[in-house]
Amino acid sequence: MPSDRKVVYLADLTHTGPVISSNVHPLAVGLIGAYLCQEFNDCIKVELFKYPQDLTRALDECIPDVLGFSHYSWNSEISHAYARALKARCPGSAVIFGGPNYGSTNVEASQFWERRPAVDFVVAGEGELAMAAIVGALLEHDMDVEALKATRPNLPNTHYMVDDELIQGGKGPRIKDIAVMPSPYLMGMMDKFFDGKLTPMIQTTRGCPFSCTFCTEGDVYYSKVSKRRDIFDELEYIAERIGDVPELHLSDSNFGEYKEDLGKAEQIRKVIDKYDWPKHIQVDGAKMSKERLLECATIVKGRISVTAALQTTNNEILDTIKRQNISIDKLMHTGRGARDLKVRSYIELILGLPGETKEVHIKSLRDAVMSGVPTVRMYQLILLPNTLMNSAETRSKHGFKPQYRLMPRSYGRYTILGKSVNTIEYEEIITETGTLSFEDYLDCRELHLTVEMIHNEDVFQELRALCSYAGVDWFDVLLGFYSRSRQDNPVIKKIYDTFRDDNLTGLWNSREGLMEHVNENMDEYLVDTSGTNEISKSKALAWFTAQKEIHEAMYEEVATQLESKGGWAGRLKPYLNQLKTLSLLRKRRVLDTSDCIESQFDFDFPALIATNFNGDPMEHLLDNPIECVIRHDDEQASLIDGFVHAYGTSVDGLGRILMLAPVPRMYRGVERKNIVAAE
């Protein structure tokens, strides 16, 4: 390779403080790097980076002519720390940021340039063509950054400062057909990231036709959707190198929304049939075309998540945030379809949206829980740069009172060009509005934890089905459990108290206060294996330290509510007692695949599991008890081992597994012993 080639480093950094924060391949810089290699193959040498330590090593060996960063909320500070160090060592190197964490208003832009003085150029929009224009212009000026800026070129999608003046290049054209863009995987540029930890990511569509005000893709610029149909070669390339990582991540915003997605699902199925990978596919599913999404899920053997990003079920709020949802009837149909296919499915809700009250949010929670979709993911409203929700007008109109919190897992201490540096990422969340008090916010957060512990992942599917048969409102069961959470059991009380304390102590009124506190206590943060994600941490503690207590409380609550329906509890008492035992045996130490448990039951539980516990359970009462074997099969063991390998077994790692993995597929199976013996 000619020695006069210019060196271009492209980084999509993840924090690696206590754990790896972002566990995916650096696709965005990979796509840009592949395009730059295609356009300037004889002039540049490109290397990609994910881990800070890898970038540190490379900088120690060779100072690049260009250092580009994918700029997201979870790596903004660490990216600028590297940029700052590079500029101090070699001011002539060009530093380029690109990504959604920039802003669309003059106020946001001013704040960015004030806080990011080491940055030379920002790509505000689609990256490949803009980066090629910048690199091409630099090559024409012999990589002299200041000489290029002095000509004040109109570079597409590119912003930069000259003499305290912000130059904003015009919007460049969107790429009409991403199918013609080169693949960084097939070019071998991503090979270094097959390390047994990072999840591969590919893109099959780009853009989003929806205009949600809280989303960075809500701008009209992203409304044109570009698609590609052929992904098999790329998937096979990945499958042959993937090792123990069980997942594939699709970066599409609405997989299943378009008819072409069925063909892509068929290609994924071919890879599954040949390699038994991916075990699970993470993706944001179609917002409206749920039938097609379910069809895609069927094709890929149920290894994909079926999602419904509702955010709220209140029509007035939906109008305010420029959002349209599918109907509750269609949502319930989707939930039933996902259950029948044994596909992981979930609904997303956001707390703190404009005009939302505690009562309105609880109504959305009820609608989501009662839809039949087994998991509800609940988030706080984050004010993201480059969104209408973040505007001064929206903040004032709706009485937003935001606070700052440390972004989970996104902090660490790194050596950069010989110096030790702390870097800390933060986010601005809404904890109070003109219609939602801070106390109401905390109460809603505790309800979120309740849903996570006793509804999500179908952890009590057997009780939910029984309640449905007996006419008991399942959401009322959740509320009943929550209302007694601090009264009946000290173990459960401690989980709720810890969760509330974490929510209170994890908030700051200013970013400066947050940064100062974390900097002063970085040593403690780096050795804290419980993590800083309040709900993930508390859910992990509930699952792995309080299953017995939670089962006791839940079965007691269901019995109480059944009794109010006219004596159901007495009739079902023998069933409930044995059902509780079975449920605990299937879920206790759920990640321990060596357990093989034998137990005797008076009910045909294998048959009940096969029917998702639907109908009258007393019809499955047997004349003679049966011996059952309760264990993981080989496929489950492989799935579990893959997730444990990727995330570990710290409290934080366990929480991530519970949040990301298809947990119902991890519950132990139940078989009649005589059938097992015959096999």
Side-chain angles (χ1 to χ4, degrees):
M1 182 175 289
S3 60
D4 60 347
R5 284 188 175 182
K6 304 304 179 184
V7 176
V8 178
Y9 290 167
L10 300 177
D12 177 2
L13 296 179
T14 176
H15 279 273
T16 57
V19 293
I20 298 171
S21 174
S22 172
N23 281 72
V24 295
H25 285 196
L27 177 64
V29 293
L31 292 168
I32 291 171
Y35 187 72
L36 292 179
C37 286
Q38 175 182 279
E39 297 299 302
F40 304 104
N41 187 50
D42 294 331
C43 303
I44 65 173
K45 175 186 176 182
V46 176
E47 187 171 358
L48 308 178
F49 299 90
K50 183 71 177 181
Y51 297 120
Q53 296 83 352
D54 188 27
L55 181 56
T56 291
R57 172 201 55 76
L59 290 174
D60 288 340
E61 295 174 359
C62 174
I63 295 295
D65 299 284
V66 176
L67 178 54
F69 294 93
S70 276
H71 181 223
Y72 299 101
S73 59
W74 56 83
N75 64 12
S76 179
E77 296 293 329
I78 189 174
S79 297
H80 191 248
Y82 274 90
R84 200 166 49 237
L86 176 64
K87 280 296 189 180
R89 174 72 62 87
C90 184
S93 293
V95 172
I96 307 171
F97 274 32
N101 203 47
Y102 176 60
S104 57
T105 66
N106 290 333
V107 172
E108 289 175 309
S110 296
Q111 289 176 341
F112 174 89
W113 291 104
E114 180 183 339
R115 296 172 181 170
R116 302 284 182 264
V119 178
D120 290 305
F121 302 98
V122 168
V123 175
E126 204 165 38
E128 289 90 345
L129 301 182
M131 277 292 289
I134 296 171
V135 171
L138 284 169
L139 288 168
E140 290 176 3
H141 287 78
D142 196 28
M143 309 307 287
D144 190 325
V145 178
E146 296 308 319
L148 171 60
K149 288 182 182 179
T151 67
R152 296 174 180 252
N154 181 17
L155 297 169
N157 290 353
T158 303
H159 295 191
Y160 57 95
M161 297 292 292
V162 178
D163 299 329
D164 295 326
E165 179 186 355
L166 177 59
I167 309 297
Q168 299 180 330
K171 283 289 186 183
R174 291 281 311 283
I175 296 170
K176 294 182 179 179
D177 184 7
I178 60 172
V180 305
M181 305 301 289
S183 165
Y185 284 103
L186 299 181
M187 292 174 69
M189 298 180 72
M190 308 290 276
D191 284 1
K192 66 190 289 187
F193 305 112
F194 291 101
D195 64 352
K197 294 291 185 181
L198 299 177
T199 298
M201 175 187 285
I202 67 168
Q203 182 180 61
T204 80
T205 64
R206 181 183 294 184
C208 179
F210 303 100
S211 55
C212 307
T213 63
F214 53 82
C215 179
T216 55
E217 284 194 320
D219 189 272
V220 67
Y221 174 79
Y222 297 102
S223 62
K224 298 291 185 182
V225 178
S226 177
K227 310 166 189 173
R228 66 182 177 119
R229 294 173 174 81
D230 298 322
I231 60 175
F232 180 80
D233 289 347
E234 197 167 58
L235 288 174
E236 185 169 51
Y237 186 95
I238 294 169
E240 289 173 347
R241 292 159 177 80
I242 193 59
D244 295 326
V245 175
E247 289 187 290
L248 169 69
H249 195 118
L250 300 182
S251 68
D252 302 27
S253 296
N254 299 283
F255 187 78
E257 194 73 38
Y258 315 104
K259 61 181 183 297
E260 295 90 346
D261 292 335
L262 293 171
K264 299 168 197 173
E266 293 284 1
Q267 293 173 65
I268 295 172
R269 172 61 179 265
K270 290 180 181 178
V271 173
I272 291 173
D273 288 343
K274 186 174 181 179
Y275 297 96
D276 193 25
W277 180 89
K279 304 287 188 184
H280 183 64
I281 303 163
Q282 292 281 356
V283 69
D284 290 326
K287 292 179 176 63
M288 302 302 290
S289 303
K290 298 302 180 185
E291 290 287 352
R292 187 179 292 125
L293 181 56
L294 283 171
E295 192 173 350
C296 288
T298 304
I299 293 170
V300 300
K301 296 184 174 181
R303 299 189 181 192
I304 198 169
S305 296
V306 175
T307 60
L310 295 184
Q311 320 311 355
T312 180
T313 59
N314 182 275
N315 289 327
E316 291 183 8
I317 298 175
L318 288 171
D319 288 342
T320 299
I321 64 176
K322 298 183 180 180
R323 174 84 189 187
Q324 184 180 5
N325 283 339
I326 63 172
S327 68
I328 294 297
D329 287 343
K330 286 185 177 180
L331 183 62
M332 294 178 71
H333 176 73
T334 300
R336 288 193 296 269
R339 285 184 185 277
D340 291 344
L341 294 170
K342 299 188 183 303
V343 171
R344 186 177 188 237
S345 59
Y346 61 90
I347 291 170
E348 293 179 342
L349 296 177
I350 296 177
L351 172 63
L353 291 169
E356 186 175 60
T357 64
K358 176 180 175 179
E359 291 72 26
V360 166
H361 187 72
I362 293 175
K363 173 64 164 55
S364 292
L365 274 177
R366 177 182 287 277
D367 290 340
V369 166
M370 297 304 290
S371 70
V373 176
T375 296
V376 183
R377 288 280 176 254
M378 299 143 292
Y379 305 100
Q380 300 103 306
L381 179 61
I382 302 173
L383 296 180
L384 296 171
N386 209 26
T387 65
L388 183 60
M389 192 71 73
N390 190 43
S391 69
E393 179 184 359
T394 300
R395 288 172 179 245
S396 175
K397 180 179 179 180
H398 298 289
F400 285 171
K401 294 182 180 179
Q403 291 182 283
Y404 293 85
R405 71 177 176 192
L406 179 63
M407 190 169 290
R409 311 175 189 94
S410 298
Y411 51 89
R413 178 177 293 136
Y414 308 96
T415 300
I416 309 174
L417 290 173
K419 294 185 178 180
S420 179
V421 180
N422 289 345
T423 63
I424 301 154
E425 313 297 342
Y426 59 88
E427 53 194 5
E428 192 178 10
I429 66 169
I430 298 301
T431 59
E432 188 173 352
T433 72
T435 55
L436 184 77
S437 70
F438 183 64
E439 195 65 25
D440 286 345
Y441 164 84
L442 291 175
D443 289 345
C444 288
R445 288 288 286 157
E446 289 192 353
L447 282 173
H448 291 177
L449 177 60
T450 305
V451 173
E452 280 289 357
M453 288 194 305
I454 64 176
H455 171 75
N456 282 0
E457 313 302 348
D458 258 345
V459 61
F460 286 108
Q461 179 193 24
E462 69 281 2
L463 290 182
R464 181 199 56 78
L466 180 61
C467 287
S468 177
Y469 176 71
V472 170
D473 187 295
W474 179 241
F475 193 73
D476 284 348
V477 172
L478 271 62
L479 291 178
F481 175 94
Y482 172 58
S483 69
R484 295 160 49 179
S485 60
R486 287 183 170 87
Q487 301 171 13
D488 298 343
N489 191 292
V491 174
I492 297 174
K493 179 181 183 299
K494 183 178 179 181
I495 290 172
Y496 276 99
D497 288 347
T498 300
F499 178 70
R500 196 175 187 94
D501 288 345
D502 285 347
N503 274 272
L504 288 167
T505 59
L507 296 173
W508 284 265
N509 291 323
S510 69
R511 61 181 290 274
E512 292 79 12
L514 181 153
M515 303 287 264
E516 180 181 357
H517 171 84
V518 179
N519 264 312
E520 290 176 352
N521 297 277
M522 181 61 79
D523 289 340
E524 287 80 3
Y525 277 97
L526 290 176
V527 297
D528 182 4
T529 58
S530 63
T532 57
N533 185 314
E534 305 95 357
I535 205 158
S536 173
K537 168 185 172 182
S538 292
K539 181 173 182 177
L541 292 173
W543 262 78
F544 293 100
T545 68
Q547 278 280 15
K548 183 176 183 296
E549 291 80 4
I550 290 173
H551 272 71
E552 292 287 350
M554 273 298 293
Y555 273 76
E556 183 178 343
E557 179 62 33
V558 168
T560 299
Q561 300 229 17
L562 285 171
E563 194 63 37
S564 70
K565 292 293 181 179
W568 279 86
R571 175 174 176 259
L572 295 173
K573 186 175 181 179
Y575 173 69
L576 285 169
N577 287 338
Q578 293 193 25
L579 185 64
K580 180 172 61 177
T581 299
L582 176 78
S583 179
L584 272 170
L585 292 176
R586 294 185 71 200
K587 302 175 183 75
R588 73 176 190 186
R589 300 193 302 272
V590 72
L591 302 182
D592 184 353
T593 58
S594 65
D595 265 3
C596 183
I597 309 149
E598 294 184 9
S599 190
Q600 187 179 84
F601 299 104
D602 297 316
F603 294 85
D604 191 350
F605 282 124
L608 277 160
I609 292 170
T611 62
N612 294 324
F613 294 95
N614 290 322
D616 185 351
M618 299 308 292
E619 292 180 358
H620 294 271
L621 179 63
L622 300 167
D623 293 331
N624 298 298
I626 57 171
E627 294 284 341
C628 287
V629 176
I630 304 164
R631 64 178 182 178
H632 292 110
D633 61 27
D634 291 343
E635 183 176 344
Q636 288 177 305
S638 175
L639 178 70
I640 290 168
D641 291 346
F643 276 99
V644 170
H645 180 75
Y647 296 106
T649 56
S650 66
V651 173
D652 183 74
L654 294 173
R656 296 179 83 178
I657 291 172
L658 293 176
M659 291 292 191
L660 297 173
V663 176
R665 286 169 54 193
M666 297 179 174
Y667 302 155
R668 293 179 184 86
V670 182
E671 306 164 84
R672 289 194 182 213
K673 184 178 179 181
N674 58 341
I675 295 177
V676 175
E679 292 175 350

